[in-house]
Amino acid sequence: MKEISRRSFLKGTAATGAALGLSGSFYNFLFSGLEPAQASDETGIQKFQNACPRNCYDTCSILSTVENGILTKVEGNPQNTFTRGRLCAKGYTYTRRVYSPDRIKYPMRQNGRGSGNWERISWDEAYTLIAKNILKIKKEYGSTLPICLNKYSGNFDIMHYGIEGMLSSFGNTSRATGTPCWPAGIDSQTFDMGTIVNNDPEDLVNSKYLILWGVNPAWTSVHSMYFVQEAQRRGCKIVAIDPVLTQTASKADLYLQIKPSTDGALALGMARYILDHNLIDAKWLMNNALGYNEFFDYLKNNITTDWAAEKTGLPKNVIETLAREYATAKPANIWIGYGMQRHANGGQNVRAIDALAAITGNIGKSGGGAQYAHLETWGFNYHAMVQNKPAGSAGSGDRAININNFGAEVLAAKEPPIKMLWIACRNPMSQDPETSVVKKAFEAMDFVVTADQFFNPSVAMSDIVLPVTTIFETWGVNVSYWHYWLCLNQQAIKPMYESKNDIQIAMELSKKMNELEPGSCTFPTSGDLKDWVGKEFNTGIYNQFGISDWKELEKGPVKTKAGHVAWQDGKFRTSSGKYEIWSEEAKKFGHLPLPVYREELKPANEYPYRCISPHWKLNIHSQFQNLDWMQAINNAPFIEIHPETAQKMGIQEKDNVKMYNDLGYIVLPAKITETVAQDIVVVYEAWYKDKNFNVNYTVKALPADMGKKATGMPGMAFHDNFVNIAKV
Amino acid sequence: MKQNQRYNPAEFQRKFFVYRLLQDYYSGCLWQKKDNWNEILLTLAETRYQEEIIFFDLGMRLIQKLTQEAVYDFNRLFVGPEKLLAPPYESAYRNAEGLLMQKETTDVRKFYSIVGLSVVGQNREPDDFIGLELEFLCFLLYQAVSCFQRGEERADFYLNVYFEFLNMHLGNWVSDHCEDVLRHSTSYFCKGMAMLTKGFIEREKSLLMHKEEIL
Ligand code: SF4
């Protein structure tokens, strides 16, 4: 009886009805969705280790409570001294994500991309359709290069890199390459120091002076904010530099409203003052740095604090005081945010800020440094990711498609063209610049597959959608690009509905492809996901974290044993082994070797306002804002406008405002606030469920200056978006 | 004699048929029955519920054709992948926050366990999915009449559970749910099925008032 599926039961109904003619005797009762109760191993209360895998500094360790097989509670794991027993508002909504009635539950096919005409299909049907399309493309074009993957930061679990592995296992494919978030800054620090490494954020408490430069941890890294405020309690002066008076800035001892994209000018002005007043750490420079004399010559010949004042809009005496305080407080720390490098001169600006930390000898010190990010704990095997291509795969390698100009590059790809998209851990229709071009690219495809948890604008433009598991329904392992903890993600509950982990999808698709064409896909066709987690570990990771087996993580997260102060050993990973203020490597990538000022972009006449589209407190890109608790706090986008600007444009609070440029427009209500400057407007980037709002309709695919070296593609100048506004 | 009326097999047969039909509808397997649809309609007409339940009558008029448009409509209402217009889960209506797998769901689970049942692959599909609640009610009726036919006393027990479940669960939310369908549906078919469901369950619920007469 147990075996009878819902589908096969139907025969029962018709037979019953027809044969009985409503009289006669009963047949045996045929169960379909119910069954005589089985003994269950899901009884009582259990606790599980989980990790928040989102693109968030904090990568929290989560303790999950499961009662009778149902996830009832999530909380921060107190064993993790960074998470400290708490999650953020977004994290606490996780139960809502798992049990939202709006989850994608089954594989479905849309008859007509964007039509909303969806049909439920079985997994087998889905695999067959996908496999046939892949094989057809391969036959028609002689390679799998017409298949393009766009996967990124929706889930940073290490095993999820198996999605890239799945594409490799088809053959050579096209890949959305690069990252929209942080590449310019990564390259800057790579030119300066050889790579990105930051001090343990728990070390922030040791700072005597802390500049939060273009970063808003009160919204985007709440756990770091604890350490910032703890430092403040211990007497550290907190300075926030930001074009927007953020919630973080409101807690600082000093807030400087800088003109956007002029951060390099401020850093260089400060450097000039520090040099003039002999506040440099000559000894540190002599021992550790290259090119500082050239840099000092540049400062002397080109930079003045008057110039910096004019550029940045900050009073000269404030710049000088800041420079003096920063250079004399020991140790002094700078946290460089990702927002400030999303400009056409963003990379160069970060190099100038790094140089400040270098000339004052703050690098390599507890409580000091120029914090950006790190990848020190990411040395896994990438067992799921590394897959061989099938023997005889055509093409000479994967083809890179710039993730930051995805729509245009997909459309422009030739020989062969791109015909199929696989979208996972990503929502390009919301998050990419130039949304209308991205939409055209989706429209031009023969076949689009999206794997996701919720319906969103990218799913709307797909032919097939595959339901994927939440973190509680599968295995994984997580580390952070900010803190130094390692956390296992245990499967706590069964996958709801028919959801599957992306890796399981890869395995089962591979099985289907090999059925249809033996040898066409190299991805393993079976495997236990828990075992696969184990296969990601190696002795390097074990030594780094002081464990001897990954199963020890079932008891709780662990932290690296050493390396909590970046560059403490003075061994920079540049080719010279020194901090390179003069970088030959930068030159090779077409930049100036010194962190000289690169002019910021300025508004044109028709588009006099700069639109900054920073992160919003209730979401991470297109995740979380769609959940009911977040909607209850705020469920409508808005545009922040300075009172004087609003008055000039005849705009009042809550008036509908059209924000536009030659690319497109959006209409949204005004929020009039002095937290923004007169010449900028702020629209927080977000995806609101059921709302036709997307700031990226106005954002050009304008590259940042750097990013190519470390990430393969330049970054994205999201904050160089010039617009006009009008009341509608 | 009274006993016999209480467990009138013909009456159970027609209920049984309607429950099975609704259950199959919500489970998404009616669509494979396109070819037999006329046959099913005939059997449905034989129940003669249309003569006593106005919504049933109206509903039957609307479900004469099973179209592809209805399939898409059905998925928009109950399946996805978009936000569901009429979620087919009790907790979506009765949980204060519209969340699934909460107390409302486990309360249903407890009911199932009273008669020794549970959901296949428990904790994958919410126990309070309408298809499961319908199957449960159908099972209770089946047990009641089977026990009766075997002369077992447990018949009354099953019938009691039947009315209690109707009263505490399905009967409490199905109208709101059907209203949602009627509000959002774009096909005659799904509107018709909503009327049929609403009419039928409301009638069953109303029998509760006269439970003593029936029992
Ligand atoms: S979003 Fe960030 S802060 Fe919030 S729970 Fe996840 S990792 Fe923690």
Side-chain angles (χ1 to χ4, degrees):
Chain A
M1 266 200 274
K2 191 181 158 211
E3 296 307 317
I4 295 167
S5 73
R6 238 181 231 157
R7 207 162 278 228
S8 70
F9 172 71
L10 180 78
K11 292 190 192 99
T13 310
T16 314
L20 288 173
L22 300 178
S23 55
S25 68
F26 285 103
Y27 284 32
N28 275 340
F29 189 85
L30 292 176
F31 286 108
S32 57
L34 296 174
E35 65 182 358
Q38 312 283 318
S40 167
D41 51 0
E42 295 178 314
T43 46
I45 297 178
Q46 294 164 287
K47 295 266 184 191
F48 292 92
Q49 303 283 341
N50 289 102
C52 181
R54 313 272 86 97
N55 189 349
C56 172
Y57 282 104
D58 294 10
T59 313
C60 288
S61 295
I62 300 177
L63 262 188
S64 309
T65 306
V66 172
E67 292 177 45
N68 300 323
I70 299 172
L71 178 73
T72 53
K73 190 172 154 197
V74 289
E75 59 198 311
N77 190 334
Q79 289 167 285
N80 179 327
T81 53
F82 180 76
T83 304
R84 299 181 67 259
R86 298 219 171 105
L87 303 176
C88 73
K90 292 164 286 209
Y92 283 120
T93 63
Y94 266 124
T95 52
R96 333 286 305 169
R97 190 189 269 244
V98 178
Y99 298 128
S100 163
D102 300 337
R103 252 185 94 171
I104 298 173
K105 303 175 185 67
Y106 314 102
M108 298 194 76
R109 170 177 55 195
Q110 186 170 214
N111 294 326
R113 224 167 284 147
S115 69
N117 290 336
W118 291 91
E119 266 185 299
R120 183 172 162 189
I121 53 175
S122 66
W123 273 104
D124 189 62
E125 285 169 297
Y127 292 137
T128 307
L129 275 165
I130 297 167
K132 281 189 172 160
N133 268 286
I134 294 171
L135 297 173
K136 190 175 129 215
I137 284 172
K138 191 163 83 171
K139 196 161 167 213
E140 199 172 328
Y141 294 93
S143 79
T144 46
L145 280 166
I147 303 167
C148 183
L149 174 70
N150 192 332
K151 178 252 175 182
Y152 187 46
S153 70
N155 189 331
F156 271 147
D157 151 51
I158 300 300
M159 235 176 18
H160 270 73
Y161 289 95
I163 298 168
E164 283 89 335
M166 174 181 72
L167 270 278
S168 298
S169 71
F170 301 161
N172 291 310
T173 56
S174 302
R175 306 287 180 90
T177 303
T179 124
C181 308
W182 56 340
I186 300 182
D187 267 15
S188 314
Q189 295 214 324
T190 306
F191 295 137
D192 292 334
M193 294 172 262
T195 189
I196 42 169
V197 189
N198 61 274
N199 288 12
D200 176 3
E202 296 170 52
D203 173 70
L204 283 169
V205 297
N206 297 320
S207 301
K208 292 279 173 290
Y209 201 84
L210 172 60
I211 302 180
L212 299 172
W213 205 318
V215 66
N216 182 13
W219 280 10
T220 59
S221 181
V222 291
H223 297 83
S224 300
M225 201 59 195
Y226 165 81
F227 296 100
V228 169
Q229 292 192 290
E230 179 57 26
Q232 196 173 31
R233 273 189 289 275
R234 297 185 191 180
C236 174
K237 180 164 179 175
I238 310 289
V239 180
I241 300 174
D242 205 303
V244 183
L245 202 170
T246 61
Q247 190 169 349
T248 304
S250 75
K251 304 240 185 306
D253 299 298
L254 174 67
Y255 165 59
L256 302 177
Q257 189 161 46
I258 191 170
K259 282 192 194 158
S261 196
T262 66
D263 309 85
L266 175 58
L268 294 169
M270 288 168 72
R272 173 71 201 255
Y273 180 90
I274 289 165
L275 176 66
D276 286 355
H277 293 79
N278 203 21
L279 298 172
I280 58 168
D281 187 336
K283 196 168 148 226
W284 190 89
L285 286 170
M286 230 151 26
N287 291 334
N288 295 288
L290 285 185
Y292 49 92
N293 285 324
E294 291 86 342
F295 180 55
F296 291 151
D297 285 346
Y298 165 73
L299 292 176
K300 281 184 207 143
N301 294 328
N302 298 279
I303 302 296
T304 63
T305 44
D306 285 308
W307 168 83
E310 196 196 311
K311 275 276 160 203
T312 59
L314 301 172
K316 178 178 160 180
N317 67 328
V318 169
I319 296 175
E320 291 178 350
T321 309
L322 178 68
R324 169 166 292 280
E325 286 181 358
Y326 171 73
T328 52
K330 302 278 177 193
N333 204 338
I334 304 176
W335 179 355
I336 303 166
Y338 306 138
M340 63 141 298
Q341 50 92 59
R342 288 181 192 147
H343 291 288
N345 63 352
Q348 202 64 5
N349 285 345
V350 173
R351 287 203 69 203
I353 296 170
D354 287 349
L356 262 186
I359 64 170
T360 53
N362 273 304
I363 289 183
K365 307 233 158 66
S366 167
Q371 322 303 339
Y372 188 67
H374 80 84
L375 294 168
E376 296 296 284
T377 52
W378 291 69
F380 292 89
N381 289 344
Y382 296 93
H383 160 263
M385 180 172 101
V386 180
Q387 301 293 339
N388 292 325
K389 293 181 177 166
S393 291
S396 53
D398 292 330
R399 170 169 58 182
I401 298 294
N402 184 353
I403 199 168
N404 292 324
N405 193 11
F406 183 69
E409 291 209 4
V410 163
L411 287 166
K414 297 248 153 44
E415 288 170 31
I418 291 174
K419 288 288 162 192
M420 171 176 166
L421 298 180
W422 189 293
I423 314 286
C425 304
R426 193 127 209 280
N427 179 3
M429 281 290 299
S430 298
Q431 297 310 127
D432 280 12
E434 301 193 13
T435 313
S436 32
V437 181
V438 178
K439 186 157 184 237
K440 280 199 189 104
F442 272 76
E443 281 164 353
M445 293 300 107
D446 286 351
F447 196 58
V448 181
V449 180
T450 297
D452 214 323
Q453 291 168 358
F454 288 94
F455 187 84
N456 60 40
S458 301
V459 176
M461 290 304 294
S462 304
D463 298 296
I464 302 275
V465 64
L466 305 176
V468 296
T469 42
T470 64
I471 54 171
F472 308 98
E473 298 162 322
T474 190
W475 287 88
V477 55
N478 292 81
V479 285
S480 158
Y481 49 73
W482 182 238
H483 65 61
Y484 285 85
W485 286 85
L486 164 64
C487 187
L488 182 66
N489 186 71
Q490 294 181 298
Q491 180 176 349
I493 54 171
K494 283 185 200 149
M496 285 297 289
Y497 315 101
E498 292 186 4
S499 60
K500 290 182 197 277
N501 180 302
D502 296 76
I503 304 310
Q504 199 184 344
I505 294 173
M507 290 175 182
E508 291 168 7
L509 176 61
S510 177
K511 191 159 170 228
K512 180 59 74 180
M513 285 177 66
N514 282 298
E515 261 167 47
L516 295 174
E517 187 184 304
S520 61
C521 183
T522 62
F523 207 91
T525 52
S526 64
D528 181 83
L529 293 181
K530 186 176 175 188
D531 291 346
W532 273 48
V533 170
K535 291 178 190 185
E536 293 294 358
F537 288 83
N538 53 44
T539 45
I541 293 273
Y542 285 161
N543 292 340
Q544 195 179 14
F545 287 94
I547 52 172
S548 51
D549 191 292
W550 66 274
K551 292 205 174 102
E552 291 172 39
L553 298 172
E554 291 180 348
K555 288 192 246 111
V558 293
K559 190 177 176 180
T560 49
K561 293 289 156 210
H564 299 153
V565 176
W567 311 116
Q568 198 169 27
D569 59 3
K571 289 186 189 140
F572 293 96
R573 289 181 223 162
T574 52
S575 57
S576 64
K578 302 273 186 198
Y579 184 107
E580 297 186 351
I581 301 185
W582 177 284
S583 167
E584 283 298 325
E585 190 66 12
K587 227 164 118 185
K588 270 191 226 156
F589 278 84
H591 311 298
L592 289 163
L594 285 175
V596 304
Y597 191 65
R598 185 180 158 144
E599 280 299 312
E600 76 281 7
L601 295 185
K602 296 180 190 70
N605 285 344
E606 321 118 90
Y607 304 118
Y609 302 102
R610 182 192 292 266
C611 170
I612 296 186
S613 50
H615 285 208
W616 168 237
K617 63 181 163 184
L618 302 179
N619 74 346
I620 295 176
H621 305 304
S622 62
Q623 299 189 81
F624 293 111
Q625 177 62 67
N626 61 315
L627 300 173
D628 56 353
W629 282 358
M630 298 302 161
Q631 292 176 326
I633 304 171
N634 175 73
N635 195 23
F638 50 83
I639 178 170
E640 293 183 342
I641 306 174
H642 190 273
E644 278 173 30
T645 309
Q647 198 185 24
K648 197 170 93 194
M649 305 300 289
I651 294 167
Q652 293 187 348
E653 183 79 12
K654 297 215 167 82
D655 275 355
N656 268 338
V657 173
K658 178 172 170 177
M659 181 184 102
Y660 63 97
N661 57 22
D662 48 6
L663 209 64
Y665 70 93
I666 53 173
V667 176
L668 65 183
K671 180 175 167 192
I672 296 170
T673 168
E674 284 185 54
T675 55
V676 300
Q678 282 93 332
D679 54 350
I680 71 169
V681 292
V682 170
V683 177
Y684 298 97
E685 56 104 347
W687 166 59
Y688 290 85
K689 187 171 69 176
D690 307 327
K691 289 215 158 49
N692 185 18
F693 158 77
N694 183 354
V695 68
N696 289 317
Y697 273 109
T698 65
V699 177
K700 283 194 189 69
L702 181 75
D705 51 347
M706 293 181 190
K708 188 141 180 63
K709 177 177 166 62
T711 72
M713 289 289 170
M716 182 42 227
F718 280 103
H719 302 330
D720 287 335
N721 179 20
F722 297 105
V723 299
N724 207 341
I725 53 172
K727 184 180 161 176
V728 290
Chain B
M1 185 62 209
K2 201 175 162 222
Q3 282 280 319
N4 275 338
Q5 248 171 12
R6 216 190 278 173
Y7 293 100
N8 177 347
E11 174 64 14
F12 279 109
Q13 286 293 357
R14 55 182 197 148
K15 285 186 188 177
F16 193 84
F17 180 78
V18 176
Y19 271 120
R20 284 307 209 187
L21 181 70
L22 295 181
Q23 181 197 334
D24 282 354
Y25 168 66
Y26 275 106
S27 305
C29 33
L30 267 195
W31 318 118
Q32 282 105 33
K33 283 283 137 191
K34 256 188 196 155
D35 297 345
N36 297 42
W37 188 240
N38 284 337
E39 205 182 323
I40 292 171
L41 282 176
L42 284 176
T43 317
L44 196 61
E46 279 179 54
T47 65
R48 307 181 74 156
Y49 280 124
Q50 67 276 24
E51 291 166 18
E52 42 180 309
I53 312 171
I54 179 137
F55 265 111
F56 206 93
D57 183 38
L58 290 171
M60 276 191 64
R61 288 164 200 268
L62 294 179
I63 61 170
Q64 295 299 312
K65 273 207 202 86
L66 220 173
T67 60
Q68 185 58 29
E69 195 29 64
V71 178
Y72 297 142
D73 190 32
F74 175 89
N75 288 331
R76 279 189 287 266
L77 294 164
F78 312 130
V79 182
E82 292 187 58
K83 177 185 157 66
L84 301 181
L85 299 174
Y89 306 100
E90 175 170 339
S91 33
Y93 289 89
R94 299 192 64 207
N95 176 263
E97 297 178 308
L99 201 65
L100 310 185
M101 301 298 278
Q102 307 302 301
K103 185 175 175 300
E104 294 72 16
T105 312
T106 48
D107 282 351
V108 170
R109 179 175 297 186
K110 281 181 198 142
F111 252 100
Y112 296 168
S113 71
I114 292 174
V115 298
L117 294 183
S118 67
V119 175
V120 176
Q122 184 169 289
N123 292 327
R124 284 182 186 272
E125 188 89 41
D127 307 59
D128 57 1
F129 168 59
I130 189 168
L132 295 170
E133 293 199 354
L134 289 162
E135 181 177 348
F136 182 58
L137 287 167
C138 189
F139 173 76
L140 293 169
L141 280 184
Y142 170 83
Q143 286 294 82
V145 82
S146 306
C147 287
F148 175 77
Q149 284 177 341
R150 290 196 298 267
E152 292 171 21
E153 277 187 8
R154 267 180 88 75
D156 282 359
F157 163 77
Y158 284 112
L159 212 53
N160 270 326
V161 179
Y162 176 80
F163 281 115
E164 213 158 305
F165 188 77
L166 254 184
N167 191 37
M168 292 178 68
H169 292 285
L170 187 64
N172 252 335
W173 66 280
V174 78
S175 286
D176 290 345
H177 164 75
C178 292
E179 294 295 337
D180 266 352
V181 178
L182 293 173
R183 218 182 341 265
H184 298 295
S185 165
T186 53
S187 71
Y188 287 132
F189 189 86
C190 293
K191 280 190 208 289
M193 288 304 283
M195 289 181 181
L196 213 99
T197 309
K198 184 177 153 72
F200 178 72
I201 299 295
E202 277 178 356
R203 175 185 180 271
E204 283 303 291
K205 212 181 147 188
S206 74
L207 295 181
L208 187 58
M209 315 260 192
H210 316 288
K211 188 172 139 202
E212 292 317 312
E213 290 160 36
I214 301 164
L215 287 182

